[in-house]
Amino acid sequence: MPEVTLAARSPLATVSAYAAPGISIFEDGNFTLTQVAGFGRGFEKPLAEAVGKLPLKVGIANSTDAFTVMRIAPQQFWCMGDHASAGLPSECLVTPLSSSRCRIKIEGEKARILLSRCAAVDFDERSFKPGHFVMTGIHHTPVLIHCIEAHAFHLYAMRTFALGVWEWLVDAAGGLNHE
Amino acid sequence: MTAFKRLDKGGRIDRSKTIAFTYDGARLFGHGGDTLASALLANGKTLVGRSFKYHRPRGFLSAGIEEPNGLFTMGEGARQEPNIPGTMLPLAEGLSAKSQNAWPSPSFDLMAVNGLAGPLFGAGFYYKTFIGPFKKSWMFYEPFIRRAAGLGKASETLDTARHDAQYGFFDCVVVGAGPAGLAAALVAGRAGAKVLLAEQDSELGGSLLSESSATLERWRMDAVSELQSLANVTTLVRATAQGLYDGSQITIAEHKSNGMLFHVIRAKTIIIAAGATERPLVFANNDRPGIMLASAVKTYLNRFALVPKSRAVVATNNDSAYETAFGLAEAGVAVTVAELRPSPTGDMLAQAAALGIAIFPNTGIADTAGDKQLRQVKLAGRHSVTIDCDVLAVSGGWSPNVHLTSHCGIKAKYDAKIAAFVPGGFAESHFGAGACLGHFGLLAAVRDGESAALAALARRGFTKKPKPVELPSVREDRPYHIGTGPRLSDIAKPAKAFIDFQHDVTAKDIMIAHEEGFHSVEHMKRYTTLGMATDQGKTSNVNAIAIMADLRGIDAGTAGTTTFRPPYSPLTIGALAGRSVGKHFRPVRRSPLHDWHANNGATFIEAGLWLRAWYYAWAGSTPEDAYIKEMELVRKGVGLADVSTLGKIDVQGPDAAEFLNRVYVNGFAKLPVGKARYGVMLNDDGVVLDDGTTSRISDTQFYLTTTTAQAGEVMSWLEYLLQCHWPELKVHVASLTDEFGGMAVSGPKSREALQLALPGIDVSNEALPYMGVKDVPFGGTTLRLMRLSFSGELAYEVHCPANFAISLWEHILTAAEPLDIKPYGLEALASLRIEKGHVAGLELDHRNTLDDLGLGKMAAKEKPFIGKELRLREKYQAPERWSLMGLELLEPEKKLRGGSILFAASDEIKGHGRGYITSVTWSTELDKFIALGLYQGGLKHEGEEIIAAFPLKDEQVRLKLVSPHFIDRQGVRLHA
């Protein structure tokens, strides 16, 4: 039997990107997500050496060329970047989550309004700035929303709910364009 | 016959814009800036509906949100919406309105015959009239009453309007854009605060829109212009504040072109500038079309350029109605004022005289005459004259809109000086301004707004001193003076003196309630239905309280008010549901293999939020046919099932083994790496919470699986235990349910199938024995192979990162095709486990103990675990508890149904029986229906014949109680 290579497939494989004046929504896949946890402060120093400066509080993401690191709980981080789990210090408890989330990019001048139609979070530019992230819910499912530019966001939806979240977002965007 | 005529100039209407609309099928025309109400009045439609109980002719009472009479059914078909006040609806091209509560039309309503039976419909008539003469009389009458009751009719077609919700966060929310609200928003906006100004009208300005003064209009326009230029200020029109809640959350319903946008807002401060509502006067026949609130007549005059045709009477107990009288007189209308007080205050007498207005002091209204429209007013008191007129403008004083503070649980308090209730206080960071505080002057409102905003800014720590608000250059406010409220003794003919116009509650009804002991305002409300219609008593509440107080010989403050609750004005269910309708009604959860199932003949079934493959087309077109074939596939060959929905949890840390040892009833501390173990966990009440297999991946890492249904609860439970009970344990848990796809390869040929699919990976009994686990690299990722069986056959579970699940699934099906491998669905999966006697969600219902499920022997004796002590409670150990049993059908021609109630053969078939059936299947091995169930005393009764009753279908069948393990009790197949 020839060597088998398993192909990756997104839960959003059946949808097309959405674009309308002031808003575009598309899947921004191909990312590596690793949850790293530990105990006390002991694991944070070597972790920082591996992935870069760690954010001090939940809600802030630090990005370098190689990694984006988010503190998602007092002793838990999400690390995004190629081969994020490689070379992590032994003190770290590593859980791969790349398949568990679907990353959707929302951008455009109406992106903040769209998000405010979906989640009970203050998405005002003065409150939610590039580098900020929030863990909240959309359509009753948990999501993490990361502001990557003034009018661009990454939304991490749970894989098994991703299609529903996508449809919810696109439906909300459609409404914006009818007002 | 028309009561009003349109002036050639003036008002806020755009005469250059003609708008066509239909009313009861007739094509009519209005102008830009009209409401439906003003356009109908301009078209001579004074009579626009019939009253609720008596079907009396009714016209517009008001020009605002308080309107009790002028309600319409708007739109057609899917967009049909009942009970819309015409006073709040901006006229739009093509708008279609239908009158309500009249057949065939308001002018000729056959149901007006109800008026003849008026005496039957007094307060409490339901309770008195329809209770007897027989015990079940109410059941007989109810459908007729329900058919006759109600106002408009909702469409039964799916609503095509587009409603949505939006969340907002503001430093300051200002409710109401009258002079107080505009001033407040200006000050807060100038200080740099993030401000939301919400106005229920279609323009900003509130009461200013009803003024004729050019000075005030300039002030309004300047304020609006400045607010709209401030980037930090958001203004909304046609947006009504509907509810105020704890945590300074306020909801605002905004009318958009195609539906409602429901704003849910967190406000750091809230300024309530909600204004006040004018009250009608209470006198006989005070409900004829043409009798309107004085403020409404002023609005129709100054905003919509509508004046009574020739003559108007103004009846009042306070000063505010004189502005209406003066305006009408200036517009050329002959005006007579019936003044309930000895005289008006200040300079009004002189001004009235200058305009030729006749004032009758100490004079009320005795009665009115007219058929479908007001024709005459008969004055009471010493000036007992009758006056022909087109319009009677009434003012019984003003009631501050205290609703929003009431939503916060703050009781309104009575202010005798204004004969009305005012807010009893404000929640933290909430402020009031203007008429809603009982400050009825225009300049007072502006000053109030400014003060409230400064207080709100100070509360939020804003240090920037904003530029003060310029006061409009108008004369100082007149002091507000009001006479007494309505007293029953003043009402000559109380029979048809209406208090609540929308629910046809009269002064006599209040009297009846009092006579029959319903003295409390809460009892009065419910007995008479006062204030319970769509207007929620905005014009009736205070008058009713005043009359009841009069009857009781107490003051209105002592009588108190009822509690106002959200929403402030009627909302459709659609507006609250928003987009959560149709396919968005609830989230749907899809397995990583969903697309494959959808493309390959699966029929889906909802299981909680999951959509699961129920059965496949290859096996049959009905579930009954298909699952049996799929079961046979697994029992005789090899099948592939999607088990991705199982809960999967990563448990890591140096104390992971200790943690699981405390969570599960059986031991996990010594589970070797590379092995899995079946475990059961109890909740802290000693009842079974969930079961599943947990595999040891390394010394410090476990892979825990849960049932599909309990995945979320178990995850929360573990987090709770770690955070609250055992924070000293060094353990982290993470959900992997979405990370891993899972598939069960089941059947006697499953090993061969995996050998074909995973060449080079040893899955022999030696390399991967029963309950063995190993991670293997394959196809560019890592697979987790587990020798587990839910079906009772030789079986494996293969888990892999979900991104690769479909590819792996397809690969296994292709590689094992020579073995005739096929997919099997949830129905077969569940049926196979019944034959094996595995418990699942239907048995794990949070009521059963370990012993009930026959798992008592699993509980470790030495180690502690959650629920260990409480599971030993006497009641939980009682020998007659309902315990798990197998059931075999003894009457093959009959059907066995899940949920059937179990009785001993000698029992009378009555009541809750001795147990019930939890799960049923056709057994392909035993060629009969079998079931799992809970039966009193459990295995003590093994071999006995019992009865299963299904009362809904009046069925009874005979069963035999057997062991719950129907096949392979020795586990030979598992270990093959």
Side-chain angles (χ1 to χ4, degrees), chain B residues 693-717:
Chain B
T693 54
T694 290
S695 308
R696 191 161 199 168
I697 308 303
S698 72
D699 282 345
T700 58
Q701 185 175 19
F702 290 78
Y703 184 62
L704 183 154
T705 65
T706 74
T707 59
T708 298
Q710 296 292 97
E713 188 166 346
V714 170
M715 182 70 194
S716 300
W717 176 237

Side-chain angles (χ1 to χ4, degrees), chain B residues 194-527:
Chain B
K194 189 180 171 191
V195 177
L196 175 70
L197 174 62
E199 168 55 48
Q200 65 194 13
D201 206 330
S202 55
E203 284 188 83
L204 301 180
S207 62
L208 296 175
L209 299 172
S210 300
E211 297 293 341
S212 59
S213 158
T215 304
L216 287 176
E217 176 59 6
R218 266 198 307 280
W219 186 89
R220 185 194 74 85
M221 286 180 66
D222 289 346
V224 170
S225 171
E226 182 179 344
L227 288 169
Q228 290 175 342
S229 72
L230 294 171
N232 55 315
V233 176
T234 303
T235 59
L236 299 177
V237 292
R238 300 202 71 204
T240 306
Q242 296 288 10
L244 192 50
Y245 306 89
D246 289 348
S248 223
Q249 177 167 290
I250 184 166
T251 55
I252 296 171
E254 180 190 7
H255 289 271
K256 305 291 269 189
S257 57
N258 194 30
M260 197 77 89
L261 182 60
F262 197 70
H263 298 264
V264 180
I265 290 165
R266 290 275 178 190
K268 287 170 181 162
T269 61
I270 294 175
I271 296 172
I272 300 169
T277 301
E278 194 170 30
R279 299 189 294 267
L281 290 169
V282 184
F283 51 85
N285 295 307
N286 59 345
D287 64 329
R288 297 190 194 283
I291 301 176
M292 306 170 95
L293 295 172
S295 58
V297 175
K298 180 181 164 186
T299 297
Y300 289 117
L301 168 64
N302 292 331
R303 185 169 175 180
F304 301 109
L306 288 166
V307 289
K309 253 178 34 180
S310 57
R311 175 171 284 278
V313 173
V314 176
T316 183
N317 66 354
N318 68 92
D319 294 343
S320 69
Y322 282 85
E323 289 184 27
T324 304
F326 298 156
L328 292 175
E330 285 165 0
V333 178
V335 179
T336 303
V337 175
E339 169 62 79
L340 280 155
R341 299 169 297 174
S343 73
T345 56
D347 60 346
M348 285 184 290
L349 210 53
Q351 200 173 341
L355 288 166
I357 298 171
I359 298 179
F360 292 83
N362 289 315
T363 299
I365 306 294
D367 202 350
T368 66
D371 181 14
K372 290 163 187 168
Q373 184 182 310
L374 177 72
R375 190 165 37 81
Q376 285 180 331
V377 170
K378 185 178 177 189
L379 302 187
R382 59 196 176 95
H383 303 285
S384 181
V385 295
T386 299
I387 301 171
D388 288 349
C389 63
D390 308 302
V391 167
L392 169 57
V394 296
S395 179
W398 291 80
S399 301
N401 292 327
V402 299
H403 304 67
L404 291 178
T405 50
S406 180
H407 295 178
C408 293
I410 299 167
K411 274 278 181 193
K413 64 182 181 190
Y414 191 70
D415 182 346
K417 281 186 201 157
I418 61 168
F421 289 87
V422 294
F426 290 90
E428 190 181 353
S429 300
H430 295 186
F431 306 88
C436 76
L437 296 179
H439 304 163
F440 296 133
L442 187 144
L443 294 179
V446 175
R447 292 183 182 115
D448 265 5
E450 183 170 27
S451 302
L454 289 171
L457 291 168
R459 181 67 58 89
R460 290 301 309 151
F462 277 82
T463 51
K464 181 179 171 185
K465 183 90 177 161
K467 193 176 98 179
V469 175
E470 303 75 14
L471 288 172
S473 303
V474 292
R475 55 179 287 171
E476 271 297 327
D477 299 333
R478 285 193 181 102
Y480 177 73
H481 178 262
I482 184 170
T484 57
R487 288 186 306 230
L488 206 56
S489 53
D490 296 334
I491 304 162
K493 292 181 184 174
K496 288 291 180 282
F498 286 89
I499 309 283
D500 182 332
F501 290 78
Q502 204 172 81
H503 257 176
D504 271 357
V505 180
T506 64
K508 186 176 178 184
D509 291 325
I510 308 289
M511 196 171 68
I512 293 168
H514 178 260
E515 283 172 1
E516 296 180 0
F518 296 94
H519 292 184
S520 151
V521 290
E522 299 287 358
H523 293 154
M524 172 185 74
K525 171 181 172 174
R526 284 154 184 87
Y527 195 61

Side-chain angles (χ1 to χ4, degrees), chain B residues 841-853:
Chain B
L842 294 164
E843 289 79 32
L844 303 174
D845 65 355
H846 288 205
R847 291 188 297 178
N848 297 319
T849 66
L850 272 180
D851 295 297
D852 295 343
L853 300 175

Side-chain angles (χ1 to χ4, degrees), chain A residues 1-2 4-14 31 33 35 37-39 43 75-76 92-101 113-124 126-127 138-141 157-164 167-176 178-179, chain B residues 162 164-169 192-194 231-232 256-258 261 579-580 583-592 595 599 609-610 650 652-654 700-701 719 729-740 756-757 759 778-781 783 800-808 811 815:
Chain A
M1 180 180 275
V4 175
T5 301
L6 298 176
R9 181 183 168 92
S10 158
L12 299 181
T14 56
F31 63 98
L33 169 60
Q35 181 167 309
F39 304 100
F43 81 107
Q75 297 182 329
Q76 291 179 2
C92 295
L93 309 179
V94 175
T95 307
L97 292 177
S98 301
S99 281
S100 74
R101 298 297 191 278
I113 301 175
L114 172 69
L115 289 172
S116 71
R117 295 271 171 105
C118 298
V121 171
D122 187 357
F123 289 109
D124 188 282
R126 288 169 294 185
S127 307
I138 286 186
H139 197 26
H140 310 285
T141 74
M158 290 177 70
R159 176 195 188 88
T160 52
F161 288 117
L163 185 58
E167 289 172 340
W168 185 257
L169 290 169
V170 167
D171 185 54
L176 284 180
H178 284 101
E179 287 174 7
Chain B
R162 189 186 168 79
D164 203 350
Q166 180 166 314
Y167 299 93
F169 297 78
K194 189 180 171 191
N232 55 315
K256 305 291 269 189
S257 57
N258 194 30
L261 182 60
R579 291 189 294 115
S580 296
K583 74 174 181 179
H584 296 304
F585 179 65
R586 61 177 186 172
V588 173
R589 206 167 186 188
R590 295 171 175 87
S591 142
D595 289 352
N599 293 330
L609 294 180
W610 288 98
D650 185 30
Q652 286 200 67
T700 58
Q701 185 175 19
E719 291 271 21
L729 291 184
K730 289 188 171 179
V731 178
H732 278 287
V733 291
S735 172
L736 292 174
T737 303
D738 281 55
E739 174 66 15
F740 282 105
L756 289 169
F778 181 80
T781 187
L783 311 183
C800 71
N803 282 344
F804 302 104
I806 284 186
S807 188
L808 178 63
H811 170 70

Side-chain angles (χ1 to χ4, degrees), chain A residues 47-85:
Chain A
L47 176 62
E49 288 167 4
V51 300
K53 187 179 172 189
L54 302 181
L56 292 175
K57 60 178 189 179
V58 174
I60 302 293
N62 285 350
S63 295
T64 65
D65 288 344
F67 291 103
T68 293
V69 184
M70 301 170 179
R71 185 187 289 270
I72 59 161
Q75 297 182 329
Q76 291 179 2
F77 296 88
W78 269 15
C79 298
M80 267 154 287
D82 290 338
H83 311 295
S85 59

Side-chain angles (χ1 to χ4, degrees), chain B residues 146-157:
Chain B
R146 292 209 180 281
R147 203 169 301 152
L151 292 164
K153 283 192 176 144
S155 169
E156 293 182 9
T157 315

